[in-house]
Amino acid sequence: TTLNLTGKLNQKWSITAEGEQRYSWENSYVRYFHYDAGAIRTINSNLKLGVFYREVYEIKKGVRVIEHRPHVDAFLTHGKNWKWRARIEWQDKEFDEDVWRFRIRPTYELHKFKQGDPFIQTELNFTKYGFTRNRFNAGLTFHWGKFTTQPAFLFVVGW
């Protein structure tokens, strides 16, 4: 599950924080958790740029490992319902090879309700080795004044 909170500071700047956990149903424990925080600058009505820091805690082969992931995002809005996010991140891994990763995430949100607009998104991930995985999210968007939250469920398909 993912919880994302965004607060608008003024017309040009906003801040965001996110927490995500992935539960291992077969082993009955949280196998992955991250927090992410950053600042976003609005360039124009269709483009925003952001700089962020993410810290990841994950159980791999029975051992908890930590990754540090600074990243830069570009957010593009296309029409009323489509949003695209492109991300370049550096993965500083505790035990594995450090790697650059490129991610692109199109999102479609149905703007039909005052609260609880449903959305779907898919996120394609690439490294120097090529395509690594796709993640699919589905959830709802809620707005409270200057704040937005998007509780969602994540499904991972990887190769």
Side-chain angles (χ1 to χ4, degrees):
T1 55
T2 303
L3 179 61
N4 186 304
L5 298 171
T6 301
K8 202 169 187 178
L9 298 175
N10 56 42
Q11 293 296 331
K12 295 288 183 185
W13 288 97
S14 59
I15 56 172
T16 184
E18 175 183 279
E20 180 180 308
Q21 71 174 12
R22 299 178 196 159
Y23 189 77
S24 173
W25 293 101
E26 56 276 352
N27 297 319
S28 300
Y29 64 84
V30 174
R31 65 176 180 81
Y32 173 98
F33 176 79
H34 81 244
Y35 68 85
D36 193 299
I40 301 169
R41 169 94 159 114
T42 300
I43 305 303
N44 59 43
S45 62
N46 295 320
L47 179 64
K48 297 177 184 179
L49 300 175
V51 61
F52 304 86
Y53 174 77
R54 173 175 289 188
E55 194 158 293
V56 175
Y57 300 89
E58 186 170 12
I59 305 294
K60 291 184 177 180
K61 298 178 185 174
V63 177
R64 188 185 83 161
V65 297
I66 300 171
E67 293 181 14
H68 307 278
R69 298 182 183 176
H71 53 97
V72 176
D73 290 4
F75 305 89
L76 180 64
T77 302
H78 181 72
K80 182 180 176 184
N81 300 80
W82 283 100
K83 295 179 184 176
W84 295 78
R85 185 194 74 195
R87 171 179 291 174
I88 295 176
E89 73 179 359
W90 173 248
Q91 294 182 346
D92 177 18
K93 300 182 177 192
E94 188 172 14
F95 297 117
D96 292 329
E97 174 188 10
D98 298 341
V99 66
W100 286 99
R101 182 165 71 169
F102 175 71
R103 298 159 65 172
I104 187 155
R105 182 178 74 185
T107 301
Y108 182 83
E109 185 171 5
L110 184 62
H111 296 285
K112 291 283 186 187
F113 310 105
K114 186 170 181 142
Q115 291 292 346
D117 286 326
F119 69 89
I120 57 170
Q121 55 191 205
T122 187
E123 185 173 50
L124 304 167
N125 292 258
F126 303 89
T127 67
K128 66 182 181 181
Y129 304 110
F131 175 77
T132 57
R133 69 177 167 198
N134 182 29
R135 293 190 286 208
F136 177 78
N137 275 305
L140 300 172
T141 301
F142 296 95
H143 304 281
W144 292 282
K146 293 183 177 183
F147 290 92
T148 301
T149 184
Q150 292 182 307
F153 290 94
L154 172 70
F155 306 95
V156 178
V157 177
W159 286 267

